[in-house]
Amino acid sequence: MIRRTLTAVLVLAALVGFGGAAVAAPSAPSAPFTWPPADITPVYETAEQLTARVAGFSAREVELVPQVVRGATDVRPGVWGHEAAGVFDGLQYVDNFVDFTTPRGPANFFIQIHAPGFFTTTPAQMCELTTCTGSTRTASGDLLLFTEYTAGSGGRTVYDFRPNGEVVYVSTSYATVSNRQLARLATDRAFTFTS
């Protein structure tokens, strides 16, 4: 219980001065958050379209990581895919690992981007699968859900549930990457299937 409380305090502290999307401090929602949102237009892309799209995602990672993680150098995006790197088998999401170096040592994050209409797990269901440590709404209507895995090597994930039905999540097991930084990456609108 003490650990969860401490984690919640750290999440709140991390959100103070949040430099990406405008985020309110975590609080009880004023309106219920419905997932998936009504009237979603699913986005379907072919393997060729996904291959072209992820080239832009990689370029954005190289540009964004040094802006988000102070002192990050040697940013190396991994190969995008679904179940395996470079494999696009009809599923409407993509993911990769991005390795980089910080003044405190090596780090990485894992990013997964789901097209609108395909991530149907609700935030409440996510909290049944892992330990939720906090949530907040952004000015643009996103719900950011902060989670932590205590099994294995552990890790933290920030899920960005977007009003258009997209979900972007970013994970790390490195202490050198904060929840605030994960949230800035997850909310970056370059990571989208709708442009």
Side-chain angles (χ1 to χ4, degrees), residues 85-132:
V87 175
F88 299 111
D89 53 6
L91 300 175
Q92 296 303 302
Y93 72 89
V94 293
D95 56 47
N96 83 336
F97 279 94
V98 178
D99 296 304
F100 53 96
T101 303
T102 74
R104 295 170 54 194
N108 73 16
F109 68 85
F110 174 82
I111 185 168
Q112 191 167 94
I113 306 163
H114 290 258
F118 293 96
F119 193 98
T120 58
T121 305
T122 68
Q125 290 168 329
M126 290 304 307
C127 292
E128 293 172 5
L129 301 172
T130 186
T131 301
C132 289

Side-chain angles (χ1 to χ4, degrees), residues 128-140:
E128 293 172 5
L129 301 172
T130 186
T131 301
C132 289
T133 59
S135 66
T136 191
R137 297 290 294 269
T138 69
S140 57

Side-chain angles (χ1 to χ4, degrees), residues 6-25:
L6 179 59
T7 303
V9 168
L10 292 174
V11 167
L12 283 169
L15 290 173
V16 174
F18 187 81
V23 177

